[in-house]
Amino acid sequence: MSVDSAVKADYYDRLKQANVAALWTIPGTLATEPTLDEEPYVWRAKDIFPLLRESAEVMGEDDDYDRRALNASNPKRVFGTSHNLVAGYQLVLPGEETGAHRHSPSAIRLLLHGTGHTTIDGEPVLMRRGDLVLTPQYAWHDHRLNADEPMIWLDGLDVPFVRGQHGQFAEEYEGGLQPLDKPEDASVLKFGSGLVPSGVRETWTKTYSPINKYPYDEARRTLYNLYEVEGKPRTGVAIDYVNPFTGGPVIATLACSLTLIPDGAATRAYRHTPSKVYCVLEGSGYSVINGERYDWEKDDFFVVPSWHWYEHHADAGSDAVLFSITDRPIYEPFGLLREQSADSVPSA
């Protein structure tokens, strides 16, 4: 049956005025796979670190140096490294003390350069290269640098997700810095051994790990021990940072892992609905993401968007160690997690 074009135009105009839309005209409503509306990208330390240091010269008195950070925006997005994650480099200069604050988005920090302290709910946490530090939802945190060289770390937050749920709130601490009322690295000393104090498990009700720092030297040792125990597989190995009380992710919305890719070898190819941000702690190499090559080296970070095939390759000459953060925990409770390896896909 043919319909007069003027009649159709009038109908759709009246739909618009009524603030409704015809389902049959909306692209992707019944899509058989996710719409790939983001793209892979590598943010290179050799390009961004100089810009980060230059920020100390161009920021004026009206600028908030507590947030001297450069966020990575996906080329297909106005804000966000992926649809649920934002990552970036942050700089703290010698002698600086940033004011304490807290917020509803959760964050992780991965120290890349220098040594200094982040204070989390009154606990001074000493940060060294490769350490994973948590600043969970609504935890008071500030940064203090008494060393002679600046600190640079990778930030990873769930801000795009929290914004999308209209759940973003923040609060400044009255008086600037919070009091130090716990010993340095108290949470690591108390919970970081894999053994936990009796009775504490039953009373811990928070949605994140009780450990504020996961030291890199211990994580790296565990990673290489696993590599040896598994017979040195050429596809490498990976370990997850976990909440010791639940065995689950360190934060309710964010999961973190460490991957070893042996010298000159490559991982298997995967794809999954969650997005992932990788940061290079050791070595150099490249990733093939949806058929395109993306080179990376020490301190670079890159994004693998949702439902993109990817595999990692270590350059010859040394192993590569990659840290990663993912929004996978957001998908699991709602049955939205789907993942595939190249081995599981039937050949045509």
Side-chain angles (χ1 to χ4, degrees), residues 67-87:
R67 317 291 195 273
R68 191 186 290 115
L70 298 178
N71 288 336
S73 294
N74 192 287
K76 294 289 185 69
R77 295 184 60 86
V78 175
F79 174 78
T81 311
S82 77
H83 59 300
N84 284 327
L85 303 174
V86 62

Side-chain angles (χ1 to χ4, degrees), residues 34 71 83 132 156 210 267 301 310 332:
N71 288 336
H83 59 300
L132 167 63
T267 66
F301 69 94
Y310 69 97
E332 292 176 323

Side-chain angles (χ1 to χ4, degrees), residues 207-283:
T207 60
Y208 49 83
S209 171
I211 306 173
N212 286 327
K213 181 182 76 174
Y214 293 77
Y216 180 58
D217 57 354
E218 295 180 13
R220 188 182 188 278
R221 186 181 310 116
T222 301
L223 185 67
Y224 271 89
N225 285 344
L226 177 64
Y227 179 60
E228 293 287 339
V229 168
E230 294 295 321
K232 298 184 176 181
R234 292 301 292 165
T235 52
V237 293
I239 57 174
D240 297 330
Y241 297 87
V242 299
N243 180 334
F245 289 164
T246 65
V250 291
I251 291 175
T253 54
L254 303 173
C256 299
S257 301
L258 205 60
T259 299
L260 167 65
I261 310 165
D263 171 6
T267 66
R268 294 184 176 91
Y270 295 95
R271 68 174 176 176
H272 36 65
T273 44
S275 59
K276 230 174 186 182
V277 172
Y278 285 91
C279 185
V280 185
L281 285 176
E282 296 182 34

Side-chain angles (χ1 to χ4, degrees), residues 191 194-205 243-247:
F191 301 108
L195 304 170
V196 298
S198 298
V200 177
R201 181 190 302 270
E202 290 77 16
T203 60
W204 185 263
T205 59
N243 180 334
F245 289 164
T246 65

Side-chain angles (χ1 to χ4, degrees), residues 312-343:
H312 307 307
H313 297 251
D315 287 341
S318 65
D319 299 339
V321 178
L322 304 180
F323 169 86
S324 65
I325 178 173
T326 176
D327 52 6
R328 179 188 178 110
I330 298 172
Y331 288 77
E332 292 176 323
F334 304 103
L336 297 176
L337 175 64
R338 180 171 293 197
E339 51 192 341
Q340 288 181 329
S341 67
D343 298 338

Side-chain angles (χ1 to χ4, degrees), residues 58-313:
V58 302
M59 293 175 70
E61 294 181 357
D62 295 335
D63 295 311
D64 188 354
Y65 78 86
D66 289 8
R67 317 291 195 273
R68 191 186 290 115
L70 298 178
N71 288 336
S73 294
N74 192 287
K76 294 289 185 69
R77 295 184 60 86
V78 175
F79 174 78
T81 311
S82 77
H83 59 300
N84 284 327
L85 303 174
V86 62
Y89 295 122
Q90 185 165 166
L91 170 69
V92 179
L93 295 177
E96 286 187 345
E97 295 178 339
T98 66
H101 61 282
R102 62 181 180 178
H103 38 66
S104 51
S106 297
I108 63 93
R109 309 188 193 284
L110 183 75
L111 192 68
L112 300 176
H113 180 82
T115 301
H117 285 87
T118 284
T119 306
I120 305 167
D121 280 341
E123 177 186 332
V125 176
L126 179 60
M127 302 169 66
R128 297 185 177 90
R129 176 172 174 80
D131 288 353
L132 167 63
V133 175
L134 308 185
T135 50
Q137 184 183 67
Y138 288 119
W140 290 111
H141 54 283
D142 60 61
H143 316 299
R144 313 178 192 200
L145 183 51
N146 298 318
D148 296 328
E149 59 177 346
M151 281 196 298
I152 297 177
W153 61 68
L154 178 80
D155 282 322
L157 301 95
D158 57 6
V159 172
F161 171 72
V162 175
R163 278 189 180 180
Q165 310 315 305
H166 298 174
Q168 185 165 2
F169 298 89
E171 181 182 356
E172 299 293 331
Y173 189 85
E174 291 186 13
L177 296 176
Q178 58 184 304
L180 306 180
D181 56 14
K182 298 181 179 71
E184 182 178 277
D185 290 342
S187 64
V188 181
L189 298 174
K190 190 173 182 180
F191 301 108
S193 66
L195 304 170
V196 298
S198 298
V200 177
R201 181 190 302 270
E202 290 77 16
T203 60
W204 185 263
T205 59
K206 298 177 181 178
T207 60
Y208 49 83
S209 171
I211 306 173
N212 286 327
K213 181 182 76 174
Y214 293 77
Y216 180 58
D217 57 354
E218 295 180 13
R220 188 182 188 278
R221 186 181 310 116
T222 301
L223 185 67
Y224 271 89
N225 285 344
L226 177 64
Y227 179 60
E228 293 287 339
V229 168
E230 294 295 321
K232 298 184 176 181
R234 292 301 292 165
T235 52
V237 293
I239 57 174
D240 297 330
Y241 297 87
V242 299
N243 180 334
F245 289 164
T246 65
V250 291
I251 291 175
T253 54
L254 303 173
C256 299
S257 301
L258 205 60
T259 299
L260 167 65
I261 310 165
D263 171 6
T267 66
R268 294 184 176 91
Y270 295 95
R271 68 174 176 176
H272 36 65
T273 44
S275 59
K276 230 174 186 182
V277 172
Y278 285 91
C279 185
V280 185
L281 285 176
E282 296 182 34
S284 62
Y286 63 94
S287 297
V288 178
I289 308 175
N290 270 13
E292 294 191 29
R293 173 170 169 154
Y294 296 84
D295 291 276
W296 37 259
E297 58 187 16
K298 182 181 173 182
D299 294 339
D300 293 349
F301 69 94
F302 60 96
V303 61
V304 178
S306 174
W307 210 238
H308 281 59
W309 284 107
Y310 69 97
E311 59 189 69
H312 307 307
H313 297 251

